[in-house]
Amino acid sequence: MMSGCRLQRPLCSVYLAAHSRARLRFRYASKYLNCRHTSNSSSTDNSHVKDNIYTIPNALSLSRIILSPVVAYSIVNGQHTTALALFGIAGFTDFLDGQIARRFPSQRSLLGSIIDPIGDKLLMGMSTISVWYTGLMPSWLLCIILGRDIILLTGGLAVKYQSLEKFTLKGLFNVTDGTIEVKPGWHGKLNMCLQLGAVIACLSAPIWSLQDSPYFHNYLILTGVMGVYSLVQYILTYRNVMGKVRSKPAWMDESKKT
């Protein structure tokens, strides 16, 4: 859902900062993920990105963050048509900000790399929980969607933890000082499209009386199956990624020496 040239990622993408004593670079590719460890040597390329805050993509990302609770409120109060329209508008802003950042380098920003994925997760998370709360989505599908995101985040933090030269909370969540960039392969992209479609289908069900349609239920099952499959692919790849970083954080070894 995001454009990579904006230092951003799709909904299911994870950006994590990492250090390395030798500032090693590695690029790992698999059926599900591509992981790239980049150095800070490209600071000249990113210098203008850090300073450029007031951009159109950032405004669009902020609007998506603002719209997320409005969508959730509309769903909970049974305003499904309004919620569906707002969800579509919010989704379009996600597509639009990525296109603008891709075509116009001056519109890229470091702030966008932070608030854009936050907006995505808020929109999807709040919408998914809301449709489940109102009985439009089955509990098992909610568990798959949210559980997958939690595992992705936990795995990403574990990789970052293993890569730290010195442990600090600021360093653990710093996304600017070197990055391990984790991008989804076609499995993850397809899974994200299916999840978006599932939210749309659940919102559309009470409007067009689709609750009893076999196509509706089969689509939800397909979404759940793909979610589990993509999660398995991630776990397999995650094991290989962990082999690319030190088995024990450097700061632990240094603390023992002292």
Side-chain angles (χ1 to χ4, degrees):
M1 294 183 65
M2 315 290 170
S3 171
C5 65
R6 189 187 166 202
L7 297 179
Q8 297 175 351
R9 56 160 176 69
L11 276 177
C12 61
S13 310
V14 179
Y15 280 76
L16 296 171
H19 289 283
S20 175
R21 285 173 179 167
R23 293 196 179 278
L24 298 176
R25 287 187 179 188
F26 69 84
R27 184 168 183 166
Y28 179 81
S30 73
K31 293 181 179 179
Y32 180 69
L33 300 174
N34 294 321
C35 300
R36 185 172 59 219
H37 183 276
T38 59
S39 170
N40 287 335
S41 60
S42 60
S43 59
T44 57
D45 296 334
N46 294 334
S47 58
H48 73 283
V49 173
K50 295 182 179 180
D51 298 329
N52 195 9
I53 297 176
Y54 302 104
T55 64
I56 295 175
N58 287 351
L60 293 172
S61 297
L62 183 60
S63 69
R64 191 161 58 256
I65 294 176
I66 296 173
L67 278 176
S68 296
V70 180
V71 172
Y73 177 83
S74 300
I75 296 173
V76 172
N77 285 274
Q79 302 171 359
H80 302 114
T81 303
T82 301
L84 184 60
L86 292 176
F87 185 83
I89 293 173
F92 180 72
T93 64
D94 186 32
F95 167 79
L96 188 60
D97 65 18
Q99 291 297 314
I100 294 175
R102 179 183 303 163
R103 297 176 183 273
F104 304 99
S106 63
Q107 293 294 304
R108 304 170 191 171
S109 70
L110 180 63
L111 178 64
S113 68
I114 299 174
I115 65 174
D116 188 90
I118 290 177
D120 289 340
K121 290 302 180 184
L122 278 177
L123 178 63
M124 275 299 297
M126 297 184 73
S127 298
T128 302
I129 293 175
S130 297
V131 292
W132 164 79
Y133 179 79
T134 55
L136 298 174
M137 177 179 286
S139 298
W140 59 265
L141 184 55
L142 174 75
C143 292
I144 291 175
I145 293 176
L146 295 186
R148 177 181 176 276
D149 283 344
I150 292 173
I151 293 175
L152 283 172
L153 178 60
T154 303
L157 288 175
V159 173
K160 176 60 189 301
Y161 175 81
Q162 293 296 107
S163 303
L164 286 176
E165 291 286 347
K166 181 179 180 180
F167 177 76
T168 62
L169 288 177
K170 180 179 179 181
L172 184 64
F173 293 99
N174 185 3
V175 298
T176 63
D177 191 5
T179 61
I180 290 179
E181 184 179 348
V182 182
K183 294 183 177 180
W186 71 268
H187 305 93
K189 294 177 181 178
L190 176 58
N191 175 71
M192 183 53 58
C193 290
L194 289 174
Q195 288 184 8
L196 288 171
V199 174
I200 295 174
C202 290
L203 289 176
S204 302
I207 299 175
W208 291 291
S209 302
L210 302 177
Q211 295 94 327
D212 298 326
S213 172
Y215 297 103
F216 172 71
H217 292 286
N218 289 338
Y219 181 84
L220 296 185
I221 292 174
L222 176 63
T223 303
V225 170
M226 180 53 67
V228 173
Y229 178 74
S230 63
L231 176 59
V232 171
Q233 293 298 315
Y234 166 78
I235 292 175
L236 294 177
T237 302
Y238 167 76
R239 294 175 59 186
N240 291 321
V241 172
M242 290 300 291
K244 297 289 184 178
V245 297
R246 55 175 65 90
S247 58
K248 182 181 294 186
W251 60 271
M252 279 191 174
D253 295 332
E254 294 177 356
S255 63
K256 287 184 177 181
K257 292 179 182 180
T258 59

